[in-house]
């Protein structure tokens, strides 16, 4: 077993809205990633994936608030640390983030190199401008980005180039954990492929040592990450290897999600999204019992008041459903 | 670089076209006013003369001198030819003073009053707007709305209130002019002191009116920028909040330069009322006397200056933006 790069224990965070309502978007998430491994997080829009990404950084600002749980990066507990220490010593060099909306992620009126200089200064890295430029140039070259980008403003770059630049900047301090929130979702297919290739290269070259890759498009994860976790309504409902999760999903939500996406002929995005009838619940008042019960084909009366816990099955696989694996296998087989 | 040059070339062509139209209108419109100013000048030199043929003769002389006996289009080209040589003709209402001489006396007062007032108002407005966006609270709920309320006063209302309070009631400021009417402009201490005390009311009336509008613009720009994606991303890169606030206000400030350039361009026309209410001897006052005296040459010259200032301000704005704001530059290159 490899060294654990990121371990999260029962993490809970919430949004406090302008109207002083609490939204429990990450509600008891635990996970573990070993060195050199990548973990995909999948789920429909609104399931709390982006909030999970933000919550894992250990650096909170309104409207998001930390409630409880531990975040341990390479043996160091960062939850509960002084925010300014997190900013200086953790963000960027231990754990780094790629935002969902990379299109507008960089200050539009600033040259990329100036932005990199600010990142360096923020971590009290004492380097001359020339050294920073040379370092950035080298890193960009390895990642296949042209040097001119450094002297451009963000607005002058194309969408795919902007995304790859954001990735290069996020990882410039070689963090131990990279959290990428839908890094390729807004891109065309060619740019998507380049981004995914880039992520893989960064892992091989040791620029990052583990990765969480968030997406709502499951087929993407099959080729990219080692493991996949499915998230629903602020919780993890199933986890396994990419292969197991794609070909043998167990939880009724994963099953519906995979089933709905893998049928390639019936192609359009709309059809994929409506494949599971209904939408994820509003997390202001999450449903009691199993959160998926209102949409679950296999729900029994028990499901709407008993909260299913994560259970192990097979080797290292986990799921959170009241039904046993045998029962689920049986109903799925009957449906075929 | 190519798209760039083409962009400016097109722009400048449009500006020239606008200038031509504006020059024609500036010439024609005043001359469409009813009444005959030449007759009134002629009548001044004819005081006491009753002989009708003598009157006719003098009138014809004046009409020929000012060219008003010719068709309008001919007058226009003569005027244009002269104007291109810097000769704007003689004033009707202050005959025989040269129009250029009148303008040369008036423009410095206008510049000295309005340039600092607009810049101070713009700066204070932007600072207030930024504070209101960032700190919220009393600045956002009370101070800025108060200035917006003040800013929505018409200029003459503001001038009347200020005159009433500071000149009539408190008696701490003079009511009219740019310096005591009994003084002659010299570099003496009494004169300078008089200029400074006459300066206060018109200056602050313009500043007060400018603050609210600029402040509310800055506030909404700053709020927009504070919520931009790059703020969140920069935070997660570990960049310090005060540095990020720097990015935000720089970005919010750039579009505000439009507001500044437009106020500077329209300063003469826009704040004419302030000059009139305080009888400040600038271009605004000059225009007022030109209108009431049906002084075509003077009026055309004033409007010409305003037109040129507005056009220059806009063009300068466009060029400056291309240089300082990469967002605009990217658009211009498309
Ligand atoms: N700033 C916010 N304030 C309040 N609620 C939010 C905010 N952002 C997201 N949410 C809510 O949190 C839930 C999860 O959202 P999000 O993490 O963006 O999901 P995903 O990334 O999976 O689409 C949603 O119900 C959403 O309405
Ligand atoms: S616990 Fe019940 S409702 Fe929830 S997924 Fe399992 S069967 Fe469906
Ligand atoms: Mg999201």
């Amino acid at each position: 077993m490899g060294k654990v790069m990121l371990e999260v224990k029962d993490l809970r965070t919430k949004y406090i809205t302008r109207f002083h309502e609490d939204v429990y978007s990450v509600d008891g998430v635990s996970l573990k990633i070993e060195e050199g491994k990548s973990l995909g997080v999948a789920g429909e829009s609104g399931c709390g994936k982006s909030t999970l990404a933000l919550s894992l950084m250990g650096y909170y600002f309104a409207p998001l608030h930390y409630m409880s749980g531990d975040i341990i990066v390479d043996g160091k507990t960062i939850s509960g640390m002084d925010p300014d220490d997190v900013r200086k010593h953790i963000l960027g060099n231990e754990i780094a983030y790629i935002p969902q909306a990379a299109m507008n992620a960089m200050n539009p009126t600033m040259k990329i190199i100036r932005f990199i200089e600010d990142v360096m200064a923020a971590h009290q890295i004492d380097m001359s401008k020339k050294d920073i430029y040379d370092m950035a140039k080298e890193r960009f070259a390895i990642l296949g980005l042209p040097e001119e980008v450094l002297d451009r403003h963000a607005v002058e770059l194309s969408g795919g180039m902007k995304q790859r630049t954001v990735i290069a900047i996020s990882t410039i301090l070689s963090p131990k954990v990279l959290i990428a929130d839908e890094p390729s979702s807004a891109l065309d297919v060619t740019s998507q492929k380049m981004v995914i290739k880039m992520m893989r290269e960064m892992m091989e070259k040791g620029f990052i040592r583990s990765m969480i890759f968030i997406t709502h498009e499951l087929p993407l994860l099959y080729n990219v990450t080692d493991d996949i976790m499915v998230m629903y309504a602020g919780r993890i409902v199933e986890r396994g290897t990419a292969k197991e999760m794609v070909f043998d999903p167990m939880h009724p939500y994963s099953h519906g999600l995979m089933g709905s996406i893998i049928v390639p002929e019936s192609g359009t995005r709309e059809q994929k999204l409506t494949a599971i009838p209904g939408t994820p619940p509003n997390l202001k008042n999450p449903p009691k019992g199993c959160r998926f019960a209102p949409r679950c084909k296999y729900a029994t009366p028990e499901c709407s008041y008993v909260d299913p816990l994560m259970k192990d099955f097979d080797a290292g696989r986990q799921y959170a459903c009241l039904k046993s694996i045998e029962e689920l296998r049986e109903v799925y087989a009957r449906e075929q | 670089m190519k798209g760039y040059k083409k962009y400016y070339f097109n722009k400048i062509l449009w500006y020239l076209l606008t200038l031509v139209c504006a020059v024609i209108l500036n010439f024609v419109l005043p001359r469409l006013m009813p009444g005959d100013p030449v007759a009134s000048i002629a009548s001044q030199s004819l005081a006491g003369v009753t002989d009708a043929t003598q009157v006719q003769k003098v009138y014809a002389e004046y009409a020929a001198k000012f060219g008003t006996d010719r068709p309008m289009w001919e007058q226009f080209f003569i005027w244009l030819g002269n104007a291109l040589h810097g000769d704007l003709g003689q004033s009707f209402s202050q005959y025989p003073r040269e129009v250029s001489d009148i303008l040369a006396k008036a423009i410095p007062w206008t510049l000295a009053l309005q340039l600092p007032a607009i810049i101070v108002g713009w700066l204070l407005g932007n600072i207030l707007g930024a504070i209101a966006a960032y700190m919220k609270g009393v600045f956002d709920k009370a101070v800025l709305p108060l200035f917006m309320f003040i800013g929505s006063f018409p200029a003459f209302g503001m001038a009347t209130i200020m005159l009433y309070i500071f000149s009539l009631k408190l008696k701490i400021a003079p009511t009219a002019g740019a310096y005591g009417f009994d003084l002659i402009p010299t570099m003496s201490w009494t004169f300078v002191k008089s200029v400074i005390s006459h300066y206060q009311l018109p200056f602050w009336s313009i500043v007060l009116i400018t603050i609210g509008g600029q402040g509310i613009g800055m506030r909404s720009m700053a709020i927009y920028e504070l919520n931009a994606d790059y703020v969140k991303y920069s935070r997660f890169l570990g960049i310090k909040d005060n540095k990020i606030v720097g990015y935000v206000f720089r970005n919010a400030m750039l579009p505000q330069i439009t507001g500044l350039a437009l106020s500077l361009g329209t300063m003469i026309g826009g704040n004419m009322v302030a000059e009139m209410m305080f009888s400040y001897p600038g271009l605004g006052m000059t225009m007022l006397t030109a209108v009431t005296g049906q002084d075509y040459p003077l009026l055309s010259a004033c409007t010409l200056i305003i037109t040129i200032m507005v056009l220059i301000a806009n063009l300068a704005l466009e060029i400056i933006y291309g240089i300082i704001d990469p967002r605009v530059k990217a658009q211009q290159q498309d």
Side-chain angles (χ1 to χ4, degrees):
Chain A
M1 201 169 139
K3 203 167 154 204
V4 176
M5 279 294 117
L6 175 69
E7 182 168 9
V8 176
K9 292 182 192 157
D10 202 24
L11 183 64
R12 283 168 212 272
T13 61
K14 67 176 175 189
Y15 289 112
I16 301 179
T17 68
R18 276 191 299 153
F19 312 107
H20 306 286
E21 297 157 329
D22 292 342
V23 181
Y24 302 98
S25 297
V26 171
D27 198 19
V29 168
S30 301
L31 58 88
K32 211 186 253 189
I33 309 174
E34 289 164 24
E35 184 160 15
K37 298 283 183 199
S38 56
L39 169 65
V41 178
E44 293 160 294
S45 209
C47 283
K49 305 181 300 297
S50 293
T51 313
L52 176 63
L54 300 179
S55 303
L56 292 175
M57 304 299 295
Y59 190 64
Y60 305 95
F61 41 84
L64 187 63
H65 298 264
Y66 169 78
M67 292 166 68
S68 63
D70 295 325
I71 303 168
I72 305 154
V73 181
D74 194 18
K76 195 188 310 175
T77 304
I78 64 167
S79 39
M81 253 171 84
D82 173 58
D84 205 53
D85 286 337
V86 174
R87 180 188 71 70
K88 264 189 292 209
H89 306 299
I90 306 297
L91 298 181
N93 35 21
E94 298 278 314
I95 184 161
Y97 170 71
I98 297 171
Q100 179 161 5
M103 291 304 124
N104 306 312
M106 289 174 293
N107 181 358
T109 63
M110 211 174 172
K111 283 190 179 168
I112 304 299
I113 185 68
R114 295 284 101 75
F115 195 48
I116 296 175
E117 285 165 8
D118 282 357
V119 173
M120 294 296 157
H123 295 92
Q124 299 169 321
I125 294 168
D126 200 13
M127 274 169 90
S128 72
K129 283 195 174 189
K130 190 179 170 301
D131 289 346
I132 294 177
Y133 188 91
D134 291 342
M135 182 271 298
K137 186 175 98 178
E138 193 191 322
R139 181 58 76 88
F140 272 45
I142 297 174
L143 294 174
L145 283 160
E147 182 187 342
E148 303 97 75
V149 170
L150 291 172
D151 275 313
R152 291 282 169 78
H153 297 91
V155 281
E156 297 168 286
L157 305 176
S158 70
M161 191 58 86
K162 238 186 255 181
Q163 179 65 290
R164 291 197 292 147
T165 305
V166 165
I167 295 173
I169 295 177
S170 287
T171 55
I172 203 138
L173 299 169
S174 304
K176 291 176 179 148
V177 184
L178 176 67
I179 296 170
D181 189 2
E182 312 232 9
S184 64
S185 298
L187 303 176
D188 58 275
V189 178
T190 325
S191 302
Q192 277 193 359
K193 284 197 180 127
M194 282 170 102
V195 162
I196 287 167
K197 185 166 153 268
M198 189 171 167
M199 305 285 243
R200 241 198 243 119
E201 277 172 9
M202 288 194 305
M203 197 76 123
E204 282 159 17
K205 303 228 157 72
F207 296 166
I208 56 177
R209 287 160 64 188
S210 65
M211 173 171 79
I212 292 186
F213 191 110
I214 294 172
T215 182
H216 61 272
E217 287 172 294
L218 270 155
L220 213 77
L221 290 180
Y222 177 56
N223 294 314
V224 179
T225 60
D226 301 306
D227 285 2
I228 295 179
M229 222 164 69
V230 171
M231 189 165 184
Y232 186 74
R235 292 187 173 170
I236 305 304
V237 295
E238 187 173 358
R239 177 175 179 161
T241 63
K243 202 170 156 198
E244 291 163 343
M245 294 296 286
V246 171
F247 295 107
D248 188 27
M250 271 303 138
H251 190 281
Y253 179 63
S254 323
H255 190 78
L257 207 57
M258 304 293 181
S260 66
I261 285 174
I262 283 186
V263 182
E265 301 84 31
S266 60
T268 71
R269 202 171 279 256
E270 281 73 21
Q271 276 169 311
K272 285 178 194 171
L273 288 179
T274 51
I276 305 174
T279 49
N282 185 327
L283 295 177
K284 257 181 263 173
N285 313 298
K288 278 201 202 66
C290 173
R291 293 185 172 184
F292 188 53
R295 297 171 74 191
C296 183
K297 279 199 275 190
Y298 320 109
T300 55
E302 197 193 6
C303 296
S304 51
Y305 58 87
V306 182
D307 207 350
L309 299 172
M310 274 294 240
K311 287 177 294 210
D312 290 332
F313 72 101
D314 289 0
R317 283 192 74 182
Q318 293 166 307
Y319 79 124
C321 172
L322 295 179
K323 291 202 189 302
S324 70
I325 293 297
E326 292 70 35
E327 279 174 293
L328 289 170
R329 285 232 157 86
E330 205 185 304
V331 286
Y332 297 153
R334 224 181 298 140
E335 274 174 10
Q336 296 263 302
Chain B
M1 213 48 204
K2 193 121 187 299
Y4 227 44
K5 278 195 185 131
K6 203 171 131 210
Y7 176 83
Y8 283 120
F9 184 73
N10 279 336
K11 273 282 159 192
I12 290 172
L13 267 187
W14 273 109
Y15 276 97
L16 286 178
L17 197 66
T18 315
L19 181 66
V20 170
C21 296
V23 166
I24 295 174
L25 288 177
N26 285 343
F27 182 83
V28 174
L29 287 181
R31 286 164 179 78
L32 295 180
M33 285 196 290
D36 186 354
V38 176
S40 63
I41 298 175
S43 68
Q44 278 164 25
S45 69
L46 283 167
V49 181
T50 48
D51 176 9
T53 48
Q54 179 71 9
V55 169
Q56 269 300 315
K57 204 177 136 237
V58 172
Y59 178 79
E61 260 169 39
Y62 274 105
K65 182 173 162 56
F66 290 119
T68 48
D69 54 345
R70 295 170 199 243
M72 183 91 86
W73 64 269
E74 216 174 297
Q75 290 183 43
F76 175 71
F77 284 106
I78 295 171
W79 175 82
L80 190 64
N82 289 338
L84 288 176
H85 292 96
D87 174 10
L88 293 165
Q90 281 174 313
S91 158
F92 288 177
S93 60
Q94 300 177 47
Y95 183 78
R97 280 183 76 189
E98 291 284 329
V99 168
S100 45
D101 175 55
I102 299 175
L103 293 182
K105 291 253 159 44
I107 288 176
W109 288 112
T110 289
L111 290 182
L113 172 65
Q114 304 213 12
L115 209 59
I118 289 170
I119 291 173
V120 169
W122 182 81
L123 277 176
L124 292 179
N126 278 296
I127 293 169
L128 180 59
I131 293 175
Y134 191 61
M135 316 228 292
K136 305 195 179 79
V138 65
F139 290 100
D140 202 32
K141 301 255 151 47
V143 183
L144 184 61
L146 175 71
F147 277 100
M148 281 165 61
F149 176 68
I150 294 174
S152 62
F153 281 17
F156 64 86
M158 171 72 82
T160 312
I161 294 171
M162 290 183 88
L163 282 170
Y164 180 77
I165 299 176
F166 296 102
S167 304
L168 295 179
K169 287 287 152 195
L170 301 176
K171 297 200 191 319
I172 51 171
T175 52
Y179 46 85
F181 60 89
D182 50 348
L183 298 174
I184 22 167
T186 52
M187 266 299 132
S188 72
W189 176 231
T190 351
F191 179 72
V192 172
K193 225 164 66 180
S194 174
V195 166
I196 292 174
S197 74
H198 281 78
Y199 192 71
Q200 301 307 318
L201 290 192
F203 176 82
W204 290 109
S205 78
I206 297 172
V207 170
L208 283 178
I209 283 181
T210 314
I211 289 179
Q214 297 292 347
I216 190 70
M218 180 63 179
R219 176 184 175 273
S220 40
M221 282 313 300
I223 288 179
Y224 173 81
E225 293 285 337
L226 279 168
N227 291 312
D229 291 332
Y230 69 81
V231 171
K232 194 158 90 178
Y233 180 55
S234 304
R235 272 184 169 154
F236 280 129
L237 283 171
I239 295 175
K240 266 196 189 148
D241 275 359
N242 57 16
K243 187 136 223 166
I244 299 172
V245 169
Y247 300 167
V248 163
F249 288 126
R250 193 186 120 92
N251 290 348
M253 198 80 171
L254 289 174
Q256 286 294 99
I257 292 173
T258 316
L260 177 64
L262 289 181
S263 334
L264 289 179
T266 55
M267 75 177 155
I268 299 154
N271 294 330
M272 217 165 70
V273 180
E275 286 190 9
M276 290 174 193
M277 289 303 292
F278 295 104
S279 309
Y280 211 76
L283 265 185
M285 273 300 283
T286 308
M287 244 173 103
L288 181 67
T289 49
V291 172
T292 51
Q294 290 205 321
D295 194 341
Y296 308 151
L298 189 54
L299 196 51
S300 291
C302 289
T303 49
L304 184 66
I305 288 182
I306 295 177
T307 310
I308 292 176
M309 298 239 339
V310 171
L311 290 179
I312 289 179
N314 277 304
L315 185 62
L317 186 72
E318 204 117 20
I319 293 172
I320 291 172
Y321 260 141
I323 297 167
I324 60 174
D325 195 333
R327 293 170 294 192
V328 176
K329 187 162 150 194
Q331 274 170 15
Q332 290 176 350
Q333 275 168 332
D334 285 342

